[in-house]
Amino acid sequence: MNKLSRYAILLTLAALTGCAAVETVTTIATDVGVQSGALTKAQGESIRKSTQAVSRSMEDFTQEQEYYIGRSVGAIVLGKYSALSDAKVNAYLNLLGQTLAMASDMPELFGGYHFLALNSDDINAFATPGGHIFVTRGLIRCCRTEDALAAVLAHEIGHVQLRHGMKAIEKGRVTEALTILAQESAKSFGSEDVIRLTREFGGAISDITNTMIKNGYSRAYEYQADAVSVTILKRIGYNPAALIDMLNVMARQMKPGGNDFARTHPSPQSRIAELKDNSGIALTSIEPPAVRKERFTKAVGHLL
Amino acid sequence: MFHRRYIIICLALICVLFLISTVEAQKIMSIQLKESQLRVTPSFLGKITAKLFYGERVTVLQEKGAWKKVSIPGKNVQGWIHETALTSKSIVLKAGRGTVGTSVTGKEIALAGKGFNEEVEAQYKKNNKNLDYTWINQMETMKVSPEQMEDFIAGGNLVFGAEGGNP
C-alpha cells in the first residue's frame, strides 16, 4: 500500500470540504477509497462521520423550527412583560412593521413578522427567531415621529434577519439537537425522542432569553442591527436620521442602572457615534410630511 | 512513486463534484414557509396568482435580484416569489401532513414537522406551566394585506423599493 497515494486521496477529500455537496462527494470518495484499498473500512467510516458532524450547523434548522423556538422565546418575554392590550397601537405597529419587513433582506419567514406593544415604562424591545417583535411603551415614548418608530422596528427586524437570536444558542446544543434529529429522521419519533429534544429545546430557549433579556447581544450585533435599520429606512423612503433623533431622546429618558436597554445595549451616544462614522448619516433632522405626523399621533399619541 | 491508479481516482472525484454542481443548476426548489404566494410582478405589491404551501415544489425559470420566476410542476401556473420563501433542500412532510411524497432520499432533506415542533412545544409547556401563549397566538393573527400595505405606503409619502433594493 502506497502511503503517498493514500495521502493524495485524503488531500483530495480535504480539498472537497466546504463544497455544497460535500457529504455526497465524501460518501462516494470514501467508497472509492475503501474499494481501491487506499483506505481501510474503518478509516472511510470515520471520515464519513466527521464530515456529517462538521456539516451539521445552525443552518440545518428549518425555518419551521426557528418559528417554534421563537414562539417559546416570545412566551418568556411575555412572562416578564405583559402585553399592551391596545388594538389601535398593535394594528399600527403591524402595519408599519410588516411593511418595513418586506423591504428587508429577509422579508419572508415561516410564520411571517408580527408586532406587539408591551405594557411597561422600561425602554426595551425584543425580536424572536420566529419573527415575533415586542416593543415597550417606554421605547415608543422615545419616538417623536413615525420615522423614529420605523427605525426602532427596523432595528429589531435586523436582529431577525441577521439571526442573532439563533447565534446565541450554544454550539454544543445545536450539535446535540441536530444529532438526535439525524439519528431519528428516518423513522417516526417515539416519546423518548420527544423528551430528549424538549430538553435541547428548553436549553436553546434559555440560551436565547438569557442573552436577549439579561446580558444583551454584543455591541457588534447592535451596531449591525442599526446598520440594517438604516438600509431599510432608506429603501422605503423614511429619513434615516430619525434613528439618531430617537437615540437622542432615549439618552435623555434612560435611567442609569435600569434593567432595560441601559443594561443590554451600548449607550445611545456610542450608537450615534457608530452611525455617524459608518453610515454617514447627517445629524440634521428633517420634519416628516404632515400626513405621516397625523397618522402617528392618531395611532400612538395617547401613549406619548 | 505515485501510482497512476490513484491519480485517476482523484480526477474521478473531482468529476463527481462537477457533475453534482451541474445537476444542482437545474433548480427545483421547495417552499419553506407555512404559506406563500406567487405574484405577477417581482414585488410584494404584485397581484397574487397562486397560493403555495409548505413543502410544495417549484421549478425556477428565471431570476431577477432576490426574486425568482417559477412554475408549479403539473400545473399551468407561473409567478414571482422572493428567494427567502424557497429552499434548495427537499422538504419531506410527515405522513398525513401534505401531498408531497416521502420517497426522496439523501442528505439534502429538511424534514418538515421534525425536530422542534408542535409536539416538542406541547411537552415544553407541560414542563413550564407558568408560560402563557395566549398573546403569542393572538399576535400571529395580526396580518396586513398587500392592499393595506399599498395604502400605508402611498398615504405616508413613502416609496416601495426606493433604492432598488429587495422589494
Side-chain angles (χ1 to χ4, degrees):
Chain A
M1 184 64 262
N2 190 329
K3 251 190 178 175
L4 249 177
S5 50
R6 187 182 304 166
Y7 288 137
I9 290 191
L10 284 173
L11 248 161
T12 314
L13 285 176
L16 293 174
T17 314
C19 109
V22 65
E23 281 200 26
T24 320
V25 174
T26 313
T27 307
I28 298 167
T30 41
D31 285 349
V32 173
V34 171
Q35 276 159 28
S36 66
L39 302 170
T40 67
K41 211 170 179 193
Q43 278 173 323
E45 203 48 47
S46 112
I47 289 170
R48 254 196 291 270
K49 272 188 187 153
S50 63
T51 317
Q52 283 181 359
V54 168
S55 62
R56 221 168 265 155
S57 72
M58 201 188 69
E59 303 300 322
D60 289 341
F61 282 118
T62 57
Q63 275 223 19
E64 184 186 20
Q65 296 194 71
E66 294 190 29
Y67 163 76
Y68 279 104
I69 290 172
R71 280 176 54 85
S72 287
V73 167
I76 295 210
V77 168
L78 288 167
K80 184 176 159 64
Y81 289 113
S82 57
L84 182 70
S85 182
D86 185 324
K88 202 159 65 169
V89 170
N90 289 324
Y92 180 66
L93 285 182
N94 279 282
L95 195 49
L96 175 59
Q98 291 186 29
T99 305
L100 292 164
M102 292 299 118
S104 76
D105 286 345
M106 185 63 132
E108 301 260 44
L109 292 176
F110 184 80
Y113 287 84
H114 303 284
F115 298 78
L116 187 68
L118 300 174
N119 189 11
S120 165
D121 290 330
D122 280 7
I123 296 174
N124 230 333
F126 307 98
T128 79
H132 312 80
I133 294 179
F134 307 91
V135 192
T136 60
R137 187 178 54 228
L139 183 51
I140 296 174
R141 279 189 182 141
C142 296
C143 304
R144 295 196 287 205
T145 59
E146 182 177 296
D147 296 45
L149 185 56
V152 167
L153 301 185
H155 172 99
E156 295 307 315
I157 292 166
H159 282 311
V160 179
Q161 180 188 309
L162 300 167
R163 303 177 91 205
H164 287 160
M166 291 301 288
K167 287 177 187 164
I169 304 175
E170 279 179 26
K171 289 211 167 53
R173 185 141 22 235
V174 172
T175 313
E176 181 62 29
L178 291 166
T179 305
I180 298 173
L181 269 176
Q183 287 164 351
E184 298 302 323
S185 61
K187 46 181 178 166
S188 49
F189 263 46
S191 58
E192 183 55 38
D193 300 312
V194 173
I195 289 166
R196 280 170 73 202
L197 264 182
T198 307
R199 198 160 47 228
E200 299 308 322
F201 181 74
I205 306 297
S206 304
D207 289 346
I208 297 173
T209 51
N210 278 336
T211 302
M212 212 166 73
I213 303 173
K214 288 192 192 132
N215 307 322
Y217 293 127
S218 66
R219 298 171 82 84
Y221 278 11
E222 295 303 337
Y223 296 149
Q224 285 168 19
D226 277 343
V228 169
S229 176
V230 167
T231 304
I232 294 175
L233 293 175
K234 281 185 184 166
R235 277 184 187 164
I236 209 155
Y238 282 114
N239 178 7
L243 178 53
I244 293 182
D245 187 64
M246 187 280 297
L247 289 167
N248 274 321
V249 179
M250 188 194 283
R252 288 198 294 274
Q253 295 190 0
M254 199 181 253
K255 292 186 192 83
N259 235 344
D260 48 11
F261 267 31
R263 172 158 153 182
T264 56
H265 281 62
S267 73
Q269 290 85 353
S270 47
R271 287 172 66 186
I272 292 171
E274 183 74 15
L275 280 167
K276 283 190 203 159
D277 287 352
N278 292 330
S279 301
I281 298 169
L283 241 191
T284 49
S285 190
I286 306 151
E287 282 287 292
V291 274
R292 235 184 273 166
K293 266 193 199 167
E294 202 182 305
R295 71 183 185 191
F296 177 75
T297 312
K298 214 168 142 191
V300 300
H302 59 289
L303 298 184
L304 307 177
Chain B
M1 181 57 205
F2 204 84
H3 203 293
R4 189 182 290 163
R5 199 170 74 177
Y6 296 113
I7 298 176
I8 292 168
I9 289 171
C10 290
L11 283 174
L13 292 179
I14 290 161
C15 287
V16 167
L17 174 70
F18 280 117
L19 252 169
I20 285 165
S21 34
T22 330
V23 170
E24 274 182 354
Q26 193 191 14
K27 264 191 208 152
I28 301 258
M29 298 185 89
S30 303
I31 305 292
Q32 60 169 345
L33 311 179
K34 214 185 272 180
E35 63 171 79
S36 192
Q37 298 83 27
L38 293 190
R39 295 165 197 277
V40 175
T41 51
S43 161
F44 284 108
L45 300 181
K47 197 171 162 274
I48 294 166
T49 58
K51 247 189 183 181
L52 292 168
F53 295 94
Y54 196 25
E56 275 195 76
R57 289 180 202 177
V58 295
T59 312
V60 179
L61 307 171
Q62 193 187 333
E63 297 186 25
K64 193 175 175 188
W67 288 83
K68 292 184 196 299
K69 191 178 190 178
V70 302
S71 64
I72 307 171
K75 283 187 196 168
N76 191 21
V77 190
Q78 289 189 359
W80 291 90
I81 188 165
H82 195 272
E83 64 179 9
T84 50
L86 299 170
T87 174
S88 48
K89 289 182 183 175
S90 301
I91 292 181
V92 178
L93 300 185
K94 274 208 290 193
R97 268 197 71 184
T99 50
V100 181
T102 50
S103 57
V104 184
T105 53
K107 295 281 182 261
E108 283 294 293
I109 288 178
L111 288 140
K114 292 279 187 182
F116 300 155
N117 58 12
E118 260 175 308
E119 213 178 348
V120 170
E121 184 183 288
Q123 182 70 36
Y124 181 71
K125 277 180 189 165
K126 222 187 271 175
N127 303 345
N128 298 273
K129 290 206 169 70
N130 55 325
L131 290 180
D132 186 351
Y133 288 70
T134 312
W135 270 102
I136 297 293
N137 296 331
Q138 175 77 18
M139 76 191 283
E140 286 181 4
T141 64
M142 299 178 189
K143 285 181 185 159
V144 178
S145 71
E147 293 76 26
Q148 286 173 311
M149 222 176 254
E150 206 168 351
D151 288 348
F152 184 77
I153 289 163
N157 280 356
L158 300 166
V159 238
F160 212 44
E163 298 242 320
N166 273 295

